[in-house]
Coordinates of all heavy atoms in Angstrom, one line a residue:
G1 N -74.5 84.9 -11.6 CA -74.8 85.8 -10.6 C -74.6 85.3 -9.2 O -74.1 84.2 -9.0
W2 N -75.2 86.0 -8.2 CA -75.0 85.7 -6.9 C -75.9 84.4 -6.5 O -75.4 83.7 -5.6 CB -75.5 86.8 -6.0 CG -76.9 87.1 -6.0 CD1 -77.6 88.0 -6.9 CD2 -78.0 86.6 -5.4 NE1 -78.9 88.1 -6.7 CE2 -79.2 87.1 -5.8 CE3 -78.0 85.5 -4.4 CZ2 -80.4 86.8 -5.3 CZ3 -79.3 85.1 -3.9 CH2 -80.5 85.8 -4.3
Q3 N -76.8 84.1 -7.3 CA -77.6 82.8 -7.1 C -76.7 81.5 -7.1 O -76.9 80.7 -6.4 CB -78.8 82.7 -8.0 CG -79.9 83.8 -7.7 CD -79.6 84.9 -8.5 OE1 -78.6 85.3 -9.1 NE2 -80.7 85.8 -8.6
A4 N -75.8 81.6 -8.1 CA -75.0 80.4 -8.3 C -74.1 80.2 -7.0 O -73.7 79.2 -6.7 CB -74.1 80.6 -9.5
H5 N -73.7 81.3 -6.4 CA -72.8 81.3 -5.2 C -73.6 81.1 -4.0 O -73.1 80.3 -3.1 CB -72.2 82.7 -5.1 CG -71.2 82.7 -4.0 ND1 -70.0 82.0 -3.9 CD2 -71.4 83.5 -2.8 CE1 -69.5 82.3 -2.7 NE2 -70.2 83.1 -2.1
C6 N -74.8 81.7 -3.8 CA -75.5 81.6 -2.7 C -76.9 80.7 -2.6 O -77.5 80.5 -1.6 CB -75.8 83.0 -2.0 SG -74.4 84.0 -1.8
G7 N -77.3 80.5 -3.8 CA -78.7 80.0 -4.1 C -78.9 78.6 -3.6 O -80.1 78.3 -3.2
G8 N -77.8 77.7 -3.5 CA -78.3 76.3 -3.1 C -77.7 76.2 -1.7 O -77.2 77.0 -0.9
G9 N -77.9 74.9 -1.2 CA -77.5 74.7 0.2 C -76.1 74.0 0.3 O -75.7 73.7 1.5
A10 N -75.4 73.8 -0.7 CA -74.1 73.1 -0.6 C -73.1 73.8 0.2 O -72.5 73.2 1.0 CB -73.4 72.9 -2.0
R11 N -73.1 75.0 0.1 CA -72.1 75.9 0.9 C -72.4 75.7 2.4 O -71.6 75.6 3.2 CB -72.1 77.4 0.5 CG -70.8 78.0 0.0 CD -70.9 79.2 -0.5 NE -70.1 80.1 0.4 CZ -70.4 81.3 0.7 NH1 -71.4 81.9 0.1 NH2 -69.6 81.9 1.4
L12 N -73.8 76.0 2.7 CA -74.1 75.9 4.1 C -73.9 74.5 4.6 O -73.6 74.3 5.8 CB -75.5 76.3 4.2 CG -76.1 76.7 5.7 CD1 -75.2 77.7 6.5 CD2 -77.5 77.1 5.7
E13 N -74.3 73.5 3.8 CA -74.0 72.2 4.3 C -72.5 71.9 4.6 O -72.3 71.3 5.6 CB -74.6 71.2 3.3 CG -76.1 71.1 3.3 CD -76.7 70.1 2.1 OE1 -75.9 69.5 1.5 OE2 -77.9 70.1 2.0
A14 N -71.8 72.4 3.7 CA -70.3 72.1 4.0 C -69.9 72.9 5.3 O -69.0 72.4 6.0 CB -69.6 72.6 2.7
F15 N -70.4 74.1 5.4 CA -70.1 74.8 6.7 C -70.6 74.1 7.9 O -69.9 74.0 8.9 CB -70.6 76.3 6.6 CG -70.6 77.0 7.9 CD1 -69.3 77.4 8.4 CD2 -71.6 77.2 8.7 CE1 -69.2 78.0 9.6 CE2 -71.6 77.8 10.0 CZ -70.3 78.2 10.4
A16 N -71.9 73.6 7.9 CA -72.4 73.0 9.0 C -71.6 71.7 9.3 O -71.4 71.3 10.4 CB -73.9 72.6 8.7
T17 N -71.2 70.9 8.3 CA -70.4 69.8 8.4 C -69.1 70.1 9.1 O -68.6 69.5 10.2 CB -70.2 69.0 7.1 OG1 -71.4 68.7 6.5 CG2 -69.3 67.7 7.3
W18 N -68.4 71.1 8.6 CA -67.1 71.6 9.2 C -67.3 72.0 10.6 O -66.5 71.6 11.5 CB -66.6 72.7 8.3 CG -65.4 73.3 9.0 CD1 -64.0 73.0 8.9 CD2 -65.3 74.5 9.9 NE1 -63.3 73.8 9.6 CE2 -64.1 74.7 10.3 CE3 -66.3 75.3 10.4 CZ2 -63.6 75.7 11.1 CZ3 -65.9 76.3 11.2 CH2 -64.5 76.5 11.6
L19 N -68.3 72.7 10.9 CA -68.6 73.3 12.2 C -68.9 72.0 13.2 O -68.3 72.0 14.3 CB -69.9 74.1 12.3 CG -70.2 74.8 13.6 CD1 -69.1 75.8 13.9 CD2 -71.4 75.6 13.4
G20 N -69.5 71.1 12.7 CA -69.8 70.0 13.6 C -68.6 69.1 13.9 O -68.4 68.3 14.9
E21 N -67.4 69.2 13.1 CA -66.2 68.5 13.3 C -65.4 69.2 14.3 O -64.3 68.6 14.6 CB -65.6 68.3 11.9 CG -66.3 67.3 11.0 CD -65.8 67.4 9.6 OE1 -64.9 68.2 9.2 OE2 -66.3 66.5 8.8
Q22 N -65.7 70.4 14.6 CA -64.8 71.2 15.6 C -64.8 70.7 16.9 O -65.8 70.2 17.4 CB -65.1 72.7 15.5 CG -65.1 73.3 14.1 CD -63.8 73.0 13.3 OE1 -62.7 73.2 13.7 NE2 -63.9 72.3 12.2
P23 N -63.7 70.6 17.6 CA -63.7 70.0 19.0 C -64.3 70.9 20.1 O -64.6 70.4 21.2 CB -62.2 69.8 19.3 CG -61.5 70.9 18.5 CD -62.3 71.1 17.2
E24 N -64.6 72.3 19.7 CA -65.0 73.1 20.8 C -66.5 72.8 21.1 O -67.2 72.4 20.1 CB -64.8 74.5 20.3 CG -63.4 75.1 20.2 CD -62.7 74.6 19.0 OE1 -63.5 74.2 18.0 OE2 -61.4 74.8 18.9
S25 N -66.8 73.0 22.3 CA -68.3 72.9 22.7 C -69.1 74.2 22.5 O -70.3 74.2 22.6 CB -68.4 72.3 24.1 OG -67.8 73.2 25.1
R26 N -68.4 75.3 22.4 CA -69.0 76.6 22.4 C -68.2 77.4 21.2 O -67.0 77.4 21.1 CB -69.0 77.5 23.6 CG -69.7 76.8 24.7 CD -69.7 77.8 25.9 NE -70.5 77.2 26.9 CZ -70.2 76.4 27.9 NH1 -68.9 76.0 28.0 NH2 -71.0 76.0 28.8
V27 N -69.1 77.7 20.2 CA -68.5 78.4 19.0 C -69.3 79.8 18.6 O -70.6 79.6 18.8 CB -68.5 77.4 17.7 CG1 -68.0 78.1 16.6 CG2 -67.7 76.2 18.1
A28 N -68.8 80.8 18.3 CA -69.5 81.9 17.8 C -69.5 81.9 16.4 O -68.4 81.7 15.7 CB -68.7 83.2 18.4
V29 N -70.6 82.2 15.8 CA -70.8 82.3 14.3 C -71.3 83.7 14.0 O -72.5 84.1 14.5 CB -71.6 81.2 13.8 CG1 -71.8 81.3 12.2 CG2 -71.1 79.8 14.0
V30 N -70.7 84.4 13.2 CA -71.2 85.8 12.7 C -71.8 85.5 11.3 O -71.1 85.1 10.4 CB -70.0 86.9 12.7 CG1 -70.6 88.2 12.3 CG2 -69.5 86.9 14.2
C31 N -73.1 85.8 11.0 CA -73.7 85.5 9.8 C -74.9 86.4 9.6 O -75.3 87.0 10.5 CB -74.0 84.1 9.6 SG -75.1 83.4 10.9
H32 N -75.5 86.2 8.5 CA -76.9 86.8 8.2 C -78.0 86.1 8.8 O -77.8 84.8 9.1 CB -77.1 87.0 6.7 CG -76.1 87.9 6.0 ND1 -76.4 89.2 6.0 CD2 -75.0 87.7 5.3 CE1 -75.4 89.9 5.3 NE2 -74.5 89.0 4.9
F33 N -79.1 86.6 9.1 CA -80.3 86.0 9.7 C -80.8 84.7 8.9 O -81.2 83.8 9.4 CB -81.4 86.9 10.0 CG -82.3 87.0 8.8 CD1 -83.5 86.3 8.9 CD2 -82.1 87.9 7.8 CE1 -84.5 86.4 7.8 CE2 -83.0 88.1 6.7 CZ -84.2 87.3 6.7
G34 N -80.6 84.9 7.6 CA -81.1 83.7 6.7 C -80.2 82.5 6.9 O -80.7 81.3 6.9
T35 N -78.9 82.6 7.3 CA -78.0 81.6 7.6 C -78.6 80.9 8.8 O -78.6 79.6 8.8 CB -76.6 81.9 7.7 OG1 -76.2 82.6 6.5 CG2 -75.7 80.8 8.0
I36 N -78.8 81.7 9.8 CA -79.4 81.0 11.1 C -80.7 80.3 10.8 O -80.8 79.2 11.3 CB -79.5 82.0 12.3 CG1 -78.1 82.7 12.6 CG2 -80.3 81.7 13.3 CD1 -77.3 81.7 13.3
N37 N -81.6 81.0 10.1 CA -82.8 80.3 9.8 C -82.7 79.0 9.1 O -83.3 78.0 9.4 CB -83.8 81.2 8.9 CG -84.6 82.1 9.8 OD1 -85.5 81.7 10.4 ND2 -84.2 83.4 9.9
N38 N -81.8 79.0 8.0 CA -81.5 77.7 7.4 C -80.8 76.7 8.2 O -81.2 75.4 8.1 CB -80.7 78.0 6.1 CG -81.5 78.7 5.0 OD1 -82.8 78.5 4.9 ND2 -81.0 79.4 4.3
L39 N -79.9 77.1 8.9 CA -79.3 76.0 9.9 C -80.2 75.5 10.8 O -80.4 74.2 11.0 CB -78.1 76.7 10.7 CG -76.9 76.9 9.8 CD1 -75.9 77.7 10.8 CD2 -76.2 75.6 9.4
L40 N -81.1 76.3 11.4 CA -82.1 75.8 12.5 C -83.2 75.0 11.7 O -83.6 74.0 12.3 CB -82.7 77.0 13.1 CG -81.8 77.8 14.1 CD1 -82.5 78.9 14.6 CD2 -81.3 76.9 15.3
N41 N -83.6 75.3 10.5 CA -84.5 74.5 9.8 C -84.0 73.1 9.3 O -84.7 72.4 8.8 CB -85.1 75.3 8.7 CG -86.3 76.1 9.2 OD1 -87.3 75.7 9.3 ND2 -86.1 77.4 9.6
N42 N -82.7 72.9 9.5 CA -82.1 71.6 9.2 C -82.0 70.8 10.6 O -81.3 69.7 10.5 CB -80.9 71.7 8.5 CG -81.1 71.7 6.9 OD1 -81.9 71.0 6.4 ND2 -80.5 72.7 6.3
E43 N -82.3 71.3 11.7 CA -82.2 70.6 13.0 C -83.1 69.4 12.9 O -84.3 69.4 12.3 CB -82.5 71.5 14.2 CG -81.4 72.4 14.4 CD -80.2 71.8 15.0 OE1 -80.3 71.2 16.1 OE2 -79.1 71.8 14.3
P44 N -82.9 68.3 13.7 CA -83.8 67.2 13.8 C -85.3 67.5 14.0 O -86.2 66.9 13.6 CB -83.3 66.4 14.8 CG -81.8 66.7 14.8 CD -81.7 68.2 14.5
W45 N -85.6 68.6 14.9 CA -87.0 68.9 15.2 C -87.8 69.3 13.9 O -88.9 69.0 13.9 CB -87.0 70.1 16.2 CG -86.5 71.4 15.6 CD1 -85.2 71.8 15.6 CD2 -87.4 72.2 14.8 NE1 -85.3 73.0 14.9 CE2 -86.5 73.3 14.5 CE3 -88.7 72.2 14.4 CZ2 -86.8 74.3 13.6 CZ3 -89.1 73.3 13.6 CH2 -88.2 74.4 13.2
A46 N -87.2 69.8 12.9 CA -87.9 70.2 11.7 C -88.2 69.1 10.8 O -89.1 69.3 9.8 CB -87.0 71.2 11.0
T47 N -87.6 67.9 10.9 CA -88.0 66.8 10.1 C -89.4 66.5 10.2 O -90.0 66.3 11.3 CB -87.1 65.6 10.5 OG1 -85.7 65.9 10.4 CG2 -87.4 64.3 9.6
G48 N -90.1 66.4 9.1 CA -91.5 66.0 9.1 C -92.5 67.2 9.3 O -93.6 66.9 9.3
Q49 N -92.0 68.3 9.7 CA -92.8 69.4 9.9 C -93.3 70.0 8.5 O -92.7 69.9 7.5 CB -92.0 70.6 10.6 CG -91.6 70.2 12.0 CD -92.7 70.1 13.0 OE1 -93.6 70.9 13.0 NE2 -92.6 69.1 13.8
A50 N -94.5 70.5 8.7 CA -95.0 71.3 7.4 C -94.1 72.5 7.0 O -93.7 73.1 8.0 CB -96.5 71.7 7.7
R51 N -93.8 72.6 5.8 CA -93.0 73.7 5.4 C -93.8 74.9 4.7 O -94.8 74.6 4.0 CB -92.0 73.1 4.4 CG -91.2 72.0 5.0 CD -90.0 72.6 5.8 NE -89.3 71.5 6.5 CZ -88.0 71.7 6.8 NH1 -87.4 72.9 6.6 NH2 -87.4 70.8 7.4
V52 N -93.4 76.0 4.9 CA -93.9 77.1 4.1 C -92.9 77.8 3.4 O -91.6 77.8 3.7 CB -94.5 78.1 5.2 CG1 -95.8 77.5 5.9 CG2 -93.6 78.6 6.1
G53 N -93.3 78.6 2.4 CA -92.4 79.5 1.6 C -92.2 78.7 0.2 O -92.8 77.7 -0.1
D54 N -91.2 79.2 -0.5 CA -90.9 78.7 -1.8 C -90.2 77.3 -1.8 O -89.2 77.1 -1.2 CB -89.9 79.7 -2.5 CG -89.6 79.3 -4.0 OD1 -89.9 78.2 -4.4 OD2 -89.0 80.1 -4.6
P55 N -91.0 76.3 -2.2 CA -90.4 75.0 -2.2 C -89.2 74.6 -3.1 O -88.6 73.6 -2.8 CB -91.6 74.1 -2.8 CG -92.4 75.0 -3.6 CD -92.3 76.4 -3.0
L56 N -88.8 75.6 -3.9 CA -87.7 75.5 -4.8 C -86.5 76.0 -4.1 O -85.3 75.8 -4.5 CB -87.9 76.1 -6.1 CG -89.0 75.5 -7.0 CD1 -89.2 76.3 -8.3 CD2 -88.9 74.0 -7.2
R57 N -86.7 76.7 -3.0 CA -85.5 77.3 -2.2 C -85.0 76.4 -1.1 O -85.7 75.6 -0.8 CB -85.9 78.7 -1.7 CG -86.3 79.7 -2.7 CD -86.1 81.0 -2.6 NE -84.8 81.4 -2.0 CZ -84.5 82.6 -1.5 NH1 -85.5 83.5 -1.5 NH2 -83.3 82.8 -1.0
W58 N -83.7 76.7 -0.8 CA -83.2 75.7 0.3 C -83.5 76.4 1.6 O -83.4 77.6 1.7 CB -81.7 75.8 0.0 CG -81.0 74.7 0.9 CD1 -80.9 73.4 0.5 CD2 -80.4 74.8 2.1 NE1 -80.2 72.6 1.3 CE2 -79.9 73.5 2.4 CE3 -80.1 75.8 3.0 CZ2 -79.2 73.3 3.6 CZ3 -79.5 75.5 4.2 CH2 -79.1 74.3 4.4
P59 N -83.9 75.7 2.6 CA -83.9 74.3 2.6 C -85.0 73.7 1.8 O -86.1 74.3 1.7 CB -84.1 73.9 4.1 CG -84.6 75.1 4.7 CD -84.2 76.3 4.0
C60 N -84.8 72.6 1.2 CA -85.8 72.0 0.3 C -87.2 72.0 0.9 O -87.3 71.4 2.0 CB -85.3 70.6 -0.1 SG -83.7 70.7 -1.1
G61 N -88.1 72.5 0.2 CA -89.4 72.4 0.6 C -89.9 73.7 1.4 O -91.0 73.8 1.9
G62 N -89.0 74.6 1.7 CA -89.2 75.8 2.5 C -88.9 75.6 3.9 O -88.2 74.7 4.3
L63 N -89.4 76.6 4.7 CA -89.0 76.7 6.2 C -90.1 76.0 7.0 O -91.2 76.2 6.7 CB -88.8 78.1 6.5 CG -87.7 78.9 5.9 CD1 -87.8 80.4 6.3 CD2 -86.4 78.3 6.3
A64 N -89.6 75.2 8.0 CA -90.6 74.8 8.9 C -91.0 75.8 9.9 O -92.2 76.0 10.3 CB -90.0 73.5 9.8
K65 N -90.2 76.8 10.2 CA -90.3 77.9 11.1 C -89.4 79.1 10.7 O -88.2 78.9 10.4 CB -90.1 77.6 12.5 CG -90.4 78.7 13.4 CD -90.2 78.3 15.0 CE -90.2 79.4 15.9 NZ -91.3 79.4 16.8
R66 N -89.9 80.2 10.6 CA -89.0 81.4 10.5 C -88.7 82.0 11.7 O -89.6 82.5 12.5 CB -89.8 82.4 9.4 CG -88.9 83.6 9.1 CD -89.6 84.5 8.3 NE -88.8 85.7 8.0 CZ -88.1 85.9 7.0 NH1 -88.1 85.1 6.0 NH2 -87.4 86.9 6.8
F67 N -87.4 82.0 12.1 CA -87.1 82.6 13.4 C -86.9 84.1 13.3 O -86.3 84.5 12.2 CB -85.8 81.9 13.8 CG -86.0 80.5 14.2 CD1 -85.9 79.6 13.3 CD2 -86.4 80.0 15.5 CE1 -86.1 78.1 13.5 CE2 -86.7 78.7 15.7 CZ -86.4 77.8 14.8
G68 N -87.3 84.8 14.2 CA -87.1 86.3 14.2 C -85.8 86.6 14.9 O -85.7 86.6 16.2
V69 N -84.9 86.9 14.0 CA -83.4 87.1 14.5 C -83.2 88.6 14.3 O -83.4 89.1 13.2 CB -82.3 86.4 13.7 CG1 -81.0 86.7 14.2 CG2 -82.7 84.7 13.8
P70 N -83.0 89.3 15.4 CA -82.8 90.8 15.3 C -81.6 91.2 14.5 O -80.6 90.4 14.5 CB -82.6 91.2 16.8 CG -82.0 90.0 17.5 CD -82.7 88.8 16.8
N71 N -81.7 92.3 13.8 CA -80.7 92.8 13.0 C -79.6 93.4 14.0 O -79.9 94.0 15.0 CB -81.1 94.0 12.2 CG -80.1 94.6 11.3 OD1 -79.2 93.8 10.8 ND2 -80.2 95.7 10.9
C72 N -78.4 93.0 13.8 CA -77.1 93.5 14.6 C -77.3 93.1 16.1 O -77.0 93.7 17.0 CB -77.1 95.0 14.5 SG -76.6 95.5 12.9
G73 N -78.0 91.9 16.2 CA -78.1 91.4 17.5 C -77.4 89.9 17.7 O -76.7 89.7 16.8
W74 N -77.7 89.4 18.7 CA -77.2 88.0 18.9 C -78.2 87.1 19.4 O -79.2 87.5 20.0 CB -75.9 88.0 19.9 CG -76.3 88.4 21.3 CD1 -76.5 89.6 21.8 CD2 -76.6 87.5 22.2 NE1 -76.8 89.5 23.2 CE2 -77.0 88.2 23.5 CE3 -76.7 86.0 22.3 CZ2 -77.3 87.6 24.7 CZ3 -77.1 85.5 23.6 CH2 -77.4 86.2 24.6
V75 N -78.0 85.9 19.1 CA -78.9 84.8 19.4 C -78.1 83.5 19.9 O -77.0 83.3 19.4 CB -79.9 84.4 18.3 CG1 -79.0 83.9 17.1 CG2 -80.9 83.4 18.7
A76 N -78.5 82.9 21.0 CA -77.8 81.7 21.6 C -78.7 80.6 21.1 O -79.8 80.5 21.2 CB -77.7 81.8 23.0
V77 N -77.8 79.6 20.4 CA -78.6 78.4 19.9 C -77.8 77.2 20.3 O -76.6 77.1 20.4 CB -78.5 78.5 18.3 CG1 -79.2 77.2 17.7 CG2 -79.2 79.7 17.8
V78 N -78.5 76.2 20.7 CA -77.9 74.8 20.9 C -78.3 74.0 19.8 O -79.4 73.7 19.4 CB -78.4 74.1 22.1 CG1 -78.0 72.8 22.4 CG2 -78.2 75.1 23.4
A79 N -77.2 73.6 19.0 CA -77.5 72.9 17.7 C -77.0 71.4 17.8 O -76.1 71.0 18.6 CB -76.7 73.6 16.6
S80 N -77.7 70.7 17.1 CA -77.3 69.1 16.9 C -76.2 68.9 15.8 O -76.1 69.9 15.0 CB -78.6 68.3 16.4 OG -79.6 68.6 17.3
P81 N -75.4 67.9 15.9 CA -74.5 67.6 14.8 C -75.2 67.5 13.5 O -76.3 67.1 13.4 CB -73.9 66.2 15.2 CG -74.2 66.1 16.6 CD -75.5 66.9 16.8
F82 N -74.6 68.2 12.5 CA -75.3 68.3 11.2 C -75.4 66.9 10.5 O -74.4 66.2 10.4 CB -74.4 69.3 10.3 CG -75.1 69.5 8.9 CD1 -76.2 70.2 8.7 CD2 -74.5 68.7 7.8 CE1 -76.8 70.4 7.5 CE2 -75.0 69.0 6.5 CZ -76.3 69.8 6.4
V83 N -76.5 66.7 9.9 CA -76.7 65.5 9.1 C -77.3 66.0 7.8 O -78.3 66.6 7.8 CB -77.7 64.4 9.8 CG1 -78.0 63.3 8.8 CG2 -77.1 64.1 11.2
A84 N -76.6 65.7 6.6 CA -77.2 66.1 5.3 C -78.4 65.4 5.1 O -78.7 64.3 5.4 CB -76.0 65.7 4.3
S85 N -79.4 66.3 4.5 CA -80.7 65.8 4.0 C -80.5 64.9 2.8 O -79.7 65.1 2.1 CB -81.6 67.0 4.0 OG -81.0 67.9 2.9
S86 N -81.5 64.1 2.7 CA -81.4 63.1 1.5 C -82.2 63.7 0.5 O -83.2 64.5 0.7 CB -81.8 61.8 2.0 OG -83.0 61.7 2.6

C-alpha cells in the first residue's frame, strides 16, 4: 500500500540530502504541508525538544512543532544542511 511508499523517512531523507548538495542558495520546493513539517522538524533547533504525536511515525518520536502551512499557499524557510538522524 501507500504506507510502504510514503510511511518512512527514507525518501524524505534522500530528498533533503540531495537538496543540500545543490549549489543554488535559493530553491523552490512544491510539496504537501506534511513534507514541510517533517523537514522543519529535522532542523537542528528541534533536537532535544519534547515531541508530540505518534512516536512510531516519522520523524521518529513525533513532531517538536506542528507548523500551520496554508493550503495552496507559500511559505519561506531558511533551512540548515540536512544531517541524517541517528
Side-chain angles (χ1 to χ4, degrees):
W2 66 267
Q3 292 91 345
H5 178 69
C6 303
R11 241 177 112 209
L12 191 58
E13 287 179 8
F15 170 72
T17 299
W18 172 85
L19 187 61
E21 294 170 351
Q22 302 313 299
E24 294 81 12
S25 60
R26 292 182 177 96
V27 178
V29 175
V30 179
C31 60
H32 291 280
F33 88 98
T35 302
I36 294 291
N37 271 287
N38 285 330
L39 284 170
L40 291 175
N41 274 275
N42 274 312
E43 286 290 296
W45 68 266
T47 302
Q49 297 289 320
R51 300 287 176 146
V52 296
D54 184 349
L56 300 178
R57 300 213 42 195
W58 194 84
C60 296
L63 299 174
K65 179 177 174 120
R66 183 180 176 100
F67 293 89
V69 179
N71 189 28
C72 297
W74 67 273
V75 60
V77 176
V78 177
S80 304
F82 180 75
V83 177
S85 56
S86 53

